[in-house]
Amino acid sequence: MQIRDALETDLQGITDIYNHAVAHTTAIWNEREVDLENRRTWFNDRAAAGYPILVAFNGTDVLGYASFGDWRAFDGFRHTVEHSIYVRADQHGQGIGRALMEALITRARLIGKHVMVAGIEAGNAGSIHLHEKLGFKQVAHMPQVGTKFGRWLDLAFLQLTLDTRDDPDGIGQRQ
Ligand SMILES: CC(C)(COP(=O)(O)OP(=O)(O)OC[C@H]1O[C@@H](n2cnc3c(N)ncnc32)[C@H](O)[C@@H]1OP(=O)(O)O)[C@@H](O)C(=O)NCCC(=O)NCCS
């Protein structure tokens, strides 16, 4: 199993994993499945922003993927990203999620990001456990801010601070 940047040829595998999560889980709070063109647009948008999409690949299949984008679309949030991670349902529990997350954290540090945010359905024990093992700390629990499958969903926010710099833009003391 190899972790690498996604290629356009990975998009069908990514779409299938995404749609499975839409149809069967509360990991993503969408109810509509997407087509390949939707994921192609997302792929191009991430590339244009300079943000990675990583895949776990076994030589033939995409086993999982992870990516991040801007957390909020205001200038002041520019050093914070929010990520998503999905491992194919028949591949859970083999270390793929952890490997993808470690690679994604490295990439966030490499491009100078300061904080990674995970918004996780509060009942998703597996994802919360994985994130806590990687050093993420829960900073918020928002009751009943979502719904899927006819019930309310709580959202937990976890964050990982990636460095200890005092100067956000690394340009020294301003007047
Ligand atoms: C959450 C998810 C990404 C974890 O990926 P994974 O490849 O199954 O996880 P790993 O095998 O790398 O396990 C990492 C750690 O999490 C733990 N873990 C994984 N799934 C778990 C579960 N369902 N319950 C409890 N712990 C779990 C593992 O035991 C391991 O902990 P350890 O290091 O203490 O042994 C994967 O289950 C998934 O894609 N789920 C559906 C989509 C989703 O929930 N995405 C996250 C949205 S925020």
Side-chain angles (χ1 to χ4, degrees):
M1 199 265 298
Q2 173 197 14
I3 306 286
R4 59 158 171 74
D5 286 281
L7 307 170
E8 286 211 55
T9 49
D10 297 321
L11 284 176
Q12 188 60 57
I14 288 173
T15 305
D16 292 344
I17 292 170
Y18 180 98
N19 283 338
H20 184 278
V22 169
H24 299 287
T25 79
T26 52
I28 182 164
W29 298 4
N30 279 346
E31 290 165 4
R32 278 165 299 177
E33 297 188 16
V34 299
D35 61 14
L36 192 59
E37 282 317 302
N38 174 289
R39 289 300 83 188
R40 197 183 311 281
T41 301
W42 168 76
F43 178 90
N44 290 334
D45 288 349
R46 288 280 152 106
Y51 289 157
I53 301 173
L54 302 178
V55 293
F57 190 71
N58 69 356
T60 50
D61 289 346
V62 176
L63 305 180
Y65 70 93
S67 182
F68 57 69
D70 290 328
W71 182 46
R72 303 190 76 194
F74 298 98
D75 293 342
F77 295 105
R78 66 185 168 277
H79 300 304
T80 299
V81 289
E82 180 168 3
H83 65 278
S84 51
I85 171 156
Y86 297 93
V87 173
R88 210 172 74 182
D90 63 347
Q91 300 290 325
H92 289 179
Q94 301 178 56
I96 296 171
R98 187 185 183 98
L100 277 166
M101 278 305 306
E102 285 174 347
L104 196 67
I105 291 166
T106 298
R107 294 292 284 271
R109 284 203 170 99
L110 271 175
I111 61 171
K113 295 298 177 186
H114 185 56
V115 172
M116 290 179 79
V117 172
I120 305 177
E121 192 263 307
N124 189 344
S127 183
I128 289 175
H129 180 91
L130 167 64
H131 283 83
E132 287 180 341
K133 287 280 285 201
L134 291 164
F136 282 76
K137 304 269 186 262
Q138 185 165 329
V139 291
H141 179 119
M142 303 173 75
Q144 299 191 349
V145 291
T147 179
K148 193 170 178 182
F149 304 140
R151 61 186 175 86
W152 294 118
L153 297 176
D154 294 3
L155 184 66
F157 274 119
L158 283 76
Q159 78 169 69
L160 179 69
T161 303
L162 297 165
D163 64 29
T164 57
R165 71 188 194 257
D166 292 327
D167 183 346
D169 294 307
I171 54 177
Q173 201 69 33
R174 279 185 219 98
Q175 296 297 319

